Amino acid sequence: MPRITIIELHRFSHWIDNLGFDSEHHVQLMQAKTYRILQEYLSKRHGFVFSCDYGNYIALSNTMSKNDHIELKNIIEKEIGLKTRIASIVHPHPLTAQLIASRILLESSRDFYYDEKDEDEIVLMIIRLRKHDMLGHGTSVFEKFTDLMIQYASLLNIIQSYGGIAGYLGRSDVLAVLPLNSYREFTKVLPEYYNVGVGIALNARKALALAKKALKDSLSVKHEKRIVVYSDDKVLE
């Protein structure tokens, strides 16, 4: 079961509303700084993080200890100056894990919760939205971005229906976190113009590296499959 962690900057919207009108540049810089701190800390401990709305982040924190999560909370509060709340849940379904974590933060006054259950492998996918790449060179930057967001929104609904969660990586790539028992069924319903790299490992950084390697192979003219799965450097599919 993967460990899914919600990191909340407490009363983030309230903080923004009280900055004044000429403040958006400051907000954007603070968001970039927060993301950098989180990503650097998690990557050093074999994790990964993506943002939901810059006031809330989802961390894939397999193999990170309770003390690691407490230390991360303290670092964010010191560097950013906002109260930070963390709920970390272990569950077979990433979608359910983040729901439980969100409920804990929403319905209780506690600032920290760490699920002590044992973890196992995490399944990460990088999905290349090839339809977006196929748009002509004459298409404007904004038109390409609009098409990408439409595809992304549609893909999110499918991912959630299989118990997964997702984040946008940039370019034409989407990161999906799927349950170990349903990721194969999920790949069967994806449009044929998507390429998918799947990585399975005990920590998120390793799984993500395997997924990137698998995606590269799926795009190779020498490879016959558009969906490639790696687990501990072994080809499963």
Side-chain angles (χ1 to χ4, degrees), residues 157-222:
N157 289 328
I158 303 173
I159 291 169
Q160 288 186 71
S161 70
Y162 282 85
I165 57 177
Y168 176 52
L169 292 177
R171 306 174 301 282
S172 304
D173 294 343
V174 172
L175 173 68
V177 190
L178 270 295
L180 187 62
N181 63 359
S182 67
Y183 79 89
R184 289 185 177 88
E185 293 301 316
F186 166 75
T187 60
K188 293 177 183 178
V189 303
L190 290 177
E192 292 184 359
Y193 46 79
Y194 288 173
N195 283 74
V196 182
V198 183
I200 304 173
L202 287 175
N203 67 69
R205 185 169 170 179
K206 175 68 172 180
L208 190 56
L210 291 172
K212 293 194 74 168
K213 180 179 180 181
L215 178 64
K216 182 179 179 180
D217 285 350
S218 79
L219 293 165
S220 171
V221 294
K222 298 179 181 179

Side-chain angles (χ1 to χ4, degrees), residues 107-119:
E107 298 176 356
S108 73
S109 59
R110 67 177 73 187
D111 295 335
F112 184 84
Y113 179 86
Y114 182 86
D115 194 346
E116 300 283 358
K117 291 196 292 289
D118 292 335
E119 307 159 7

Side-chain angles (χ1 to χ4, degrees), residues 45-97:
R45 290 155 183 81
H46 310 292
F48 190 78
V49 66
F50 54 91
S51 170
C52 289
D53 59 9
Y54 292 106
N56 294 279
Y57 298 81
I58 296 179
L60 312 176
S61 54
N62 272 39
T63 72
M64 285 177 56
S65 69
K66 182 177 182 178
N67 287 338
D68 287 335
H69 288 76
I70 292 172
E71 183 179 44
L72 176 59
K73 178 181 183 298
N74 293 336
I75 289 172
I76 292 297
E77 290 181 339
K78 178 181 178 181
E79 296 294 327
I80 302 302
L82 290 177
K83 180 180 177 181
T84 302
R85 304 173 72 211
I86 287 179
S88 185
I89 299 295
V90 177
H91 195 278
H93 294 86
L95 184 66
T96 303

Side-chain angles (χ1 to χ4, degrees), residues 8-23:
E8 174 197 286
L9 301 183
H10 188 55
R11 302 194 71 189
F12 181 64
S13 295
H14 178 77
W15 175 80
I16 291 175
D17 291 342
N18 284 278
L19 286 178
F21 298 118
D22 184 24
S23 61

Side-chain angles (χ1 to χ4, degrees), residues 122-180:
I122 186 169
V123 179
L124 297 187
M125 297 183 178
I126 300 178
I127 303 169
R128 174 68 53 86
L129 307 182
R130 292 295 304 282
K131 184 181 177 183
H132 168 71
D133 287 346
M134 294 173 187
L135 293 177
H137 292 294
T139 307
S140 73
V141 170
F142 187 71
E143 286 173 308
K144 288 183 178 181
F145 175 73
T146 301
D147 177 76
L148 181 66
M149 290 297 103
I150 291 171
Q151 288 189 68
Y152 180 42
S154 177
L155 184 58
L156 283 178
N157 289 328
I158 303 173
I159 291 169
Q160 288 186 71
S161 70
Y162 282 85
I165 57 177
Y168 176 52
L169 292 177
R171 306 174 301 282
S172 304
D173 294 343
V174 172
L175 173 68
V177 190
L178 270 295
L180 187 62

